Amino acid sequence: MYEVVKILVPVSLTEVDETVLAWAAMIARTRKAKNLDLVHVRAKTDIPDEVLEQFPEAAGDEDEIRRAMEAEVEQRGGDLGKTEVGVAVLDGAPVTRILKHMAGKDYDLLITGIRPGDSGRLAVSMARKAPCSVLVVPQHAPAKVEEIAAAVDFSANSVDAVDVAARYAKHAGLKRIHLLHVFQVPLGYHSTGKSYEEFAAIMRRNAEREFTRFLERCETQGVEVECHVEQSEHVAVRIPELAQSLGADVLVIGARGRTALAHLLLGSVTEHILVQSTIPVIAVKKKGAGLSILQILLREAGLSDDD
């Protein structure tokens, strides 16, 4: 289902690029990607038009930005083999311009970074709207994959997450992946006549049975799986904590929904994990998911497919 042929990396020309480009280069080499494209969006400046006319370089010279991007990928990327590197400089609102740039280019993965203390608004917005899977990389996260974890809720989207995790593991030469299911005892447990502990035990047994049925639907590429079931009142917090405690270098999680519109809705758990996780997170989407909605968003922003 999931191959990585074309990768897009928005760069900010800040210190977080070092981490993002290291991850992009590692994935491009591991997955033998055909294209690695870098894009920088020059945000609309507050400099008065009269001043810009006199000093246009104040907005950032496009050739200078291109050279900086090329130097960064050469320094951080190392030997990329046959992967072709492209750079582009755009103007406008970052998310809108990046989505416009993606339209019709058939990208498989978008990689973006997040700095400590960042609200994560840009990363979440890209993960919601991009028509492909999105990898969110916290600044300073080491570019290595020795252990992989995937969060599952036994849905079809979790099957996709396992597929991605297994393929990454296989390409990285790993023998196993960790599958994590964290459940919460529902507030209405007291109406059942069971105690909290009794209902938690029922939920756990059900999850263990579900895991068995779930694995029958998954393609694990010959990679071993270790299943972990835990209870927590704070699922979005516990999932990345558990992944980190198992030594995972990356956490894979499925995007929510089956329709074009639903693919723009990650769900509160996924969004919290994207922002709060201290290890990189891949939000998995089927390639091209939500393209019709993306086209509507671009038209509303005044950007047609021919712009």
Side-chain angles (χ1 to χ4, degrees), residues 6 13 35 43-44 63 65 68 98-99 105 134 140 156 161 163-164 175 180 215 223 258 266 280 285 295 301 303:
K6 298 186 68 174
L13 300 180
N35 298 95
K44 184 177 180 181
D63 290 336
I65 293 173
I98 290 169
L99 291 174
K105 291 186 173 62
V134 176
H140 306 308
D163 177 78
V164 169
K175 295 182 178 180
L180 320 178
L215 290 175
V223 176
R258 295 183 176 85
L266 295 178
K285 294 182 176 182
Q295 291 162 355
L303 298 170

mmCIF file of all heavy atoms in Angstrom, residues 6 13 35 43-44 63 65 68 98-99 105 134 140 156 161 163-164 175 180 215 223 258 266 280 285 295 301 303:
data_model
loop_
_atom_site.group_PDB
_atom_site.id
_atom_site.type_symbol
_atom_site.label_atom_id
_atom_site.label_comp_id
_atom_site.label_asym_id
_atom_site.label_seq_id
_atom_site.Cartn_x
_atom_site.Cartn_y
_atom_site.Cartn_z
ATOM 1 N N LYS A 6 8.216 10.130 -3.558
ATOM 2 C CA LYS A 6 8.396 11.580 -3.603
ATOM 3 C C LYS A 6 8.182 12.174 -2.218
ATOM 4 O O LYS A 6 7.154 11.936 -1.583
ATOM 5 C CB LYS A 6 7.430 12.217 -4.603
ATOM 6 C CG LYS A 6 7.636 11.766 -6.038
ATOM 7 C CD LYS A 6 6.738 12.533 -6.997
ATOM 8 C CE LYS A 6 7.149 13.983 -7.085
ATOM 9 N NZ LYS A 6 6.378 14.721 -8.121
ATOM 10 N N LEU A 13 14.390 27.884 7.150
ATOM 11 C CA LEU A 13 15.689 28.551 7.243
ATOM 12 C C LEU A 13 15.983 28.948 8.689
ATOM 13 O O LEU A 13 16.534 30.017 8.966
ATOM 14 C CB LEU A 13 15.745 29.765 6.307
ATOM 15 C CG LEU A 13 15.550 29.452 4.822
ATOM 16 C CD1 LEU A 13 15.614 30.720 3.985
ATOM 17 C CD2 LEU A 13 16.569 28.439 4.330
ATOM 18 N N ASN A 35 12.482 11.459 -5.549
ATOM 19 C CA ASN A 35 12.569 12.919 -5.436
ATOM 20 C C ASN A 35 12.522 13.367 -3.993
ATOM 21 O O ASN A 35 11.735 12.851 -3.191
ATOM 22 C CB ASN A 35 11.420 13.599 -6.187
ATOM 23 C CG ASN A 35 11.427 13.307 -7.672
ATOM 24 O OD1 ASN A 35 10.743 12.399 -8.126
ATOM 25 N ND2 ASN A 35 12.202 14.070 -8.426
ATOM 26 N N ALA A 43 6.940 34.541 3.875
ATOM 27 C CA ALA A 43 5.681 35.067 4.402
ATOM 28 C C ALA A 43 5.532 36.534 4.024
ATOM 29 O O ALA A 43 6.516 37.252 3.813
ATOM 30 C CB ALA A 43 5.638 34.902 5.920
ATOM 31 N N LYS A 44 4.275 36.950 3.952
ATOM 32 C CA LYS A 44 3.995 38.351 3.637
ATOM 33 C C LYS A 44 4.646 39.243 4.674
ATOM 34 O O LYS A 44 4.496 39.059 5.879
ATOM 35 C CB LYS A 44 2.484 38.595 3.619
ATOM 36 C CG LYS A 44 2.104 40.002 3.203
ATOM 37 C CD LYS A 44 0.593 40.168 3.125
ATOM 38 C CE LYS A 44 0.226 41.581 2.709
ATOM 39 N NZ LYS A 44 -1.245 41.770 2.649
ATOM 40 N N ASP A 63 17.250 34.041 -5.146
ATOM 41 C CA ASP A 63 18.448 33.265 -5.487
ATOM 42 C C ASP A 63 19.278 32.955 -4.253
ATOM 43 O O ASP A 63 19.834 31.859 -4.118
ATOM 44 C CB ASP A 63 19.296 34.029 -6.505
ATOM 45 C CG ASP A 63 18.629 34.100 -7.874
ATOM 46 O OD1 ASP A 63 17.790 33.224 -8.163
ATOM 47 O OD2 ASP A 63 18.942 35.035 -8.640
ATOM 48 N N ILE A 65 18.103 32.640 -1.207
ATOM 49 C CA ILE A 65 17.378 31.616 -0.450
ATOM 50 C C ILE A 65 17.594 30.249 -1.077
ATOM 51 O O ILE A 65 17.824 29.256 -0.373
ATOM 52 C CB ILE A 65 15.875 31.962 -0.399
ATOM 53 C CG1 ILE A 65 15.647 33.228 0.434
ATOM 54 C CG2 ILE A 65 15.077 30.790 0.187
ATOM 55 C CD1 ILE A 65 14.219 33.737 0.402
ATOM 56 N N ALA A 68 20.947 28.970 -0.150
ATOM 57 C CA ALA A 68 20.974 28.553 1.251
ATOM 58 C C ALA A 68 20.328 27.181 1.409
ATOM 59 O O ALA A 68 20.826 26.329 2.159
ATOM 60 C CB ALA A 68 20.263 29.585 2.123
ATOM 61 N N ILE A 98 1.994 25.910 0.386
ATOM 62 C CA ILE A 98 2.556 24.554 0.343
ATOM 63 C C ILE A 98 1.532 23.579 -0.225
ATOM 64 O O ILE A 98 1.861 22.721 -1.049
ATOM 65 C CB ILE A 98 3.013 24.119 1.748
ATOM 66 C CG1 ILE A 98 4.246 24.935 2.168
ATOM 67 C CG2 ILE A 98 3.359 22.621 1.765
ATOM 68 C CD1 ILE A 98 4.618 24.774 3.625
ATOM 69 N N LEU A 99 0.279 23.704 0.192
ATOM 70 C CA LEU A 99 -0.768 22.829 -0.337
ATOM 71 C C LEU A 99 -0.941 23.044 -1.831
ATOM 72 O O LEU A 99 -1.129 22.084 -2.591
ATOM 73 C CB LEU A 99 -2.084 23.093 0.390
ATOM 74 C CG LEU A 99 -2.134 22.668 1.869
ATOM 75 C CD1 LEU A 99 -3.441 23.119 2.496
ATOM 76 C CD2 LEU A 99 -1.954 21.168 2.012
ATOM 77 N N LYS A 105 1.191 16.926 -7.741
ATOM 78 C CA LYS A 105 2.583 16.462 -7.778
ATOM 79 C C LYS A 105 2.767 15.065 -7.182
ATOM 80 O O LYS A 105 3.877 14.552 -7.142
ATOM 81 C CB LYS A 105 3.501 17.468 -7.070
ATOM 82 C CG LYS A 105 3.639 18.783 -7.839
ATOM 83 C CD LYS A 105 4.658 19.686 -7.204
ATOM 84 C CE LYS A 105 4.928 20.919 -8.065
ATOM 85 N NZ LYS A 105 3.754 21.753 -8.262
ATOM 86 N N VAL A 134 2.091 12.548 6.764
ATOM 87 C CA VAL A 134 2.918 13.651 7.265
ATOM 88 C C VAL A 134 3.763 13.158 8.435
ATOM 89 O O VAL A 134 3.248 12.527 9.364
ATOM 90 C CB VAL A 134 2.044 14.840 7.714
ATOM 91 C CG1 VAL A 134 2.910 15.937 8.331
ATOM 92 C CG2 VAL A 134 1.246 15.390 6.535
ATOM 93 N N HIS A 140 15.871 18.377 17.319
ATOM 94 C CA HIS A 140 16.918 17.613 17.994
ATOM 95 C C HIS A 140 16.636 16.113 18.077
ATOM 96 O O HIS A 140 17.418 15.378 18.680
ATOM 97 C CB HIS A 140 17.189 18.144 19.418
ATOM 98 C CG HIS A 140 17.497 19.609 19.480
ATOM 99 N ND1 HIS A 140 18.473 20.196 18.691
ATOM 100 C CD2 HIS A 140 16.962 20.613 20.219
ATOM 101 C CE1 HIS A 140 18.527 21.497 18.950
ATOM 102 N NE2 HIS A 140 17.616 21.777 19.863
ATOM 103 N N ALA A 156 -9.682 0.437 10.368
ATOM 104 C CA ALA A 156 -9.019 0.310 9.078
ATOM 105 C C ALA A 156 -7.826 1.254 8.977
ATOM 106 O O ALA A 156 -6.814 0.927 8.348
ATOM 107 C CB ALA A 156 -10.015 0.598 7.959
ATOM 108 N N ALA A 161 -1.650 2.100 9.419
ATOM 109 C CA ALA A 161 -0.524 2.479 10.265
ATOM 110 C C ALA A 161 0.435 1.311 10.455
ATOM 111 O O ALA A 161 1.659 1.481 10.418
ATOM 112 C CB ALA A 161 -1.026 2.988 11.619
ATOM 113 N N ASP A 163 0.814 -1.194 8.395
ATOM 114 C CA ASP A 163 1.463 -1.406 7.107
ATOM 115 C C ASP A 163 2.669 -0.485 6.951
ATOM 116 O O ASP A 163 3.757 -0.915 6.546
ATOM 117 C CB ASP A 163 0.466 -1.155 5.978
ATOM 118 C CG ASP A 163 1.095 -1.299 4.601
ATOM 119 O OD1 ASP A 163 1.282 -2.447 4.166
ATOM 120 O OD2 ASP A 163 1.409 -0.270 3.977
ATOM 121 N N VAL A 164 2.494 0.790 7.280
ATOM 122 C CA VAL A 164 3.589 1.752 7.179
ATOM 123 C C VAL A 164 4.716 1.394 8.144
ATOM 124 O O VAL A 164 5.902 1.384 7.774
ATOM 125 C CB VAL A 164 3.083 3.180 7.459
ATOM 126 C CG1 VAL A 164 4.241 4.159 7.623
ATOM 127 C CG2 VAL A 164 2.171 3.631 6.327
ATOM 128 N N LYS A 175 13.763 -6.255 12.993
ATOM 129 C CA LYS A 175 13.092 -7.549 13.100
ATOM 130 C C LYS A 175 11.704 -7.456 13.721
ATOM 131 O O LYS A 175 10.929 -8.409 13.644
ATOM 132 C CB LYS A 175 13.952 -8.517 13.921
ATOM 133 C CG LYS A 175 15.279 -8.865 13.258
ATOM 134 C CD LYS A 175 16.055 -9.869 14.091
ATOM 135 C CE LYS A 175 17.370 -10.247 13.406
ATOM 136 N NZ LYS A 175 18.141 -11.235 14.228
ATOM 137 N N LEU A 180 0.747 -0.578 19.920
ATOM 138 C CA LEU A 180 0.265 -0.045 21.191
ATOM 139 C C LEU A 180 -1.232 0.207 21.141
ATOM 140 O O LEU A 180 -1.724 0.880 20.225
ATOM 141 C CB LEU A 180 0.976 1.273 21.521
ATOM 142 C CG LEU A 180 2.472 1.395 21.211
ATOM 143 C CD1 LEU A 180 2.966 2.785 21.572
ATOM 144 C CD2 LEU A 180 3.265 0.327 21.937
ATOM 145 N N LEU A 215 -4.743 -8.464 13.946
ATOM 146 C CA LEU A 215 -3.505 -8.881 13.281
ATOM 147 C C LEU A 215 -3.773 -9.733 12.050
ATOM 148 O O LEU A 215 -2.949 -9.771 11.128
ATOM 149 C CB LEU A 215 -2.612 -9.639 14.268
ATOM 150 C CG LEU A 215 -1.994 -8.782 15.384
ATOM 151 C CD1 LEU A 215 -1.233 -9.650 16.362
ATOM 152 C CD2 LEU A 215 -1.083 -7.714 14.792
ATOM 153 N N VAL A 223 7.783 -9.041 9.506
ATOM 154 C CA VAL A 223 8.356 -8.432 10.710
ATOM 155 C C VAL A 223 7.565 -8.898 11.929
ATOM 156 O O VAL A 223 6.334 -8.950 11.900
ATOM 157 C CB VAL A 223 8.310 -6.892 10.601
ATOM 158 C CG1 VAL A 223 8.823 -6.243 11.885
ATOM 159 C CG2 VAL A 223 9.127 -6.423 9.402
ATOM 160 N N ARG A 258 -12.846 7.927 6.706
ATOM 161 C CA ARG A 258 -12.787 7.248 5.418
ATOM 162 C C ARG A 258 -13.178 8.153 4.252
ATOM 163 O O ARG A 258 -12.840 7.882 3.115
ATOM 164 C CB ARG A 258 -13.714 6.023 5.427
ATOM 165 C CG ARG A 258 -13.268 4.946 6.404
ATOM 166 C CD ARG A 258 -14.178 3.735 6.315
ATOM 167 N NE ARG A 258 -13.732 2.642 7.159
ATOM 168 C CZ ARG A 258 -14.012 2.515 8.440
ATOM 169 N NH1 ARG A 258 -14.746 3.436 9.035
ATOM 170 N NH2 ARG A 258 -13.572 1.498 9.135
ATOM 171 N N LEU A 266 -8.081 14.917 12.006
ATOM 172 C CA LEU A 266 -7.173 13.945 12.599
ATOM 173 C C LEU A 266 -7.721 13.355 13.883
ATOM 174 O O LEU A 266 -7.360 12.258 14.272
ATOM 175 C CB LEU A 266 -5.821 14.611 12.887
ATOM 176 C CG LEU A 266 -5.030 15.075 11.671
ATOM 177 C CD1 LEU A 266 -3.753 15.761 12.131
ATOM 178 C CD2 LEU A 266 -4.708 13.915 10.759
ATOM 179 N N PRO A 280 9.550 11.614 16.786
ATOM 180 C CA PRO A 280 8.822 11.896 15.543
ATOM 181 C C PRO A 280 7.565 11.044 15.409
ATOM 182 O O PRO A 280 7.529 9.887 15.845
ATOM 183 C CB PRO A 280 9.844 11.555 14.458
ATOM 184 C CG PRO A 280 11.175 11.782 15.119
ATOM 185 C CD PRO A 280 10.979 11.321 16.536
ATOM 186 N N LYS A 285 -1.925 8.711 6.042
ATOM 187 C CA LYS A 285 -3.110 8.898 5.207
ATOM 188 C C LYS A 285 -2.924 8.099 3.925
ATOM 189 O O LYS A 285 -1.797 7.921 3.454
ATOM 190 C CB LYS A 285 -3.292 10.373 4.822
ATOM 191 C CG LYS A 285 -3.602 11.317 5.952
ATOM 192 C CD LYS A 285 -3.804 12.711 5.367
ATOM 193 C CE LYS A 285 -4.204 13.719 6.410
ATOM 194 N NZ LYS A 285 -4.433 15.055 5.807
ATOM 195 N N GLN A 295 -8.850 20.936 -3.092
ATOM 196 C CA GLN A 295 -9.116 21.814 -4.228
ATOM 197 C C GLN A 295 -10.124 22.901 -3.859
ATOM 198 O O GLN A 295 -10.005 24.057 -4.276
ATOM 199 C CB GLN A 295 -9.610 20.982 -5.412
ATOM 200 C CG GLN A 295 -8.518 20.091 -5.998
ATOM 201 C CD GLN A 295 -9.052 18.973 -6.863
ATOM 202 O OE1 GLN A 295 -10.269 18.791 -6.966
ATOM 203 N NE2 GLN A 295 -8.166 18.222 -7.482
ATOM 204 N N ALA A 301 -9.242 30.114 -1.162
ATOM 205 C CA ALA A 301 -8.103 30.985 -0.861
ATOM 206 C C ALA A 301 -7.683 31.811 -2.078
ATOM 207 O O ALA A 301 -6.692 32.560 -2.027
ATOM 208 C CB ALA A 301 -6.916 30.151 -0.373
ATOM 209 N N LEU A 303 -6.712 30.470 -5.010
ATOM 210 C CA LEU A 303 -5.630 29.790 -5.726
ATOM 211 C C LEU A 303 -6.208 28.654 -6.510
ATOM 212 O O LEU A 303 -6.524 27.598 -5.968
ATOM 213 C CB LEU A 303 -4.579 29.268 -4.740
ATOM 214 C CG LEU A 303 -3.857 30.318 -3.912
ATOM 215 C CD1 LEU A 303 -3.042 29.643 -2.826
ATOM 216 C CD2 LEU A 303 -2.954 31.169 -4.790
#
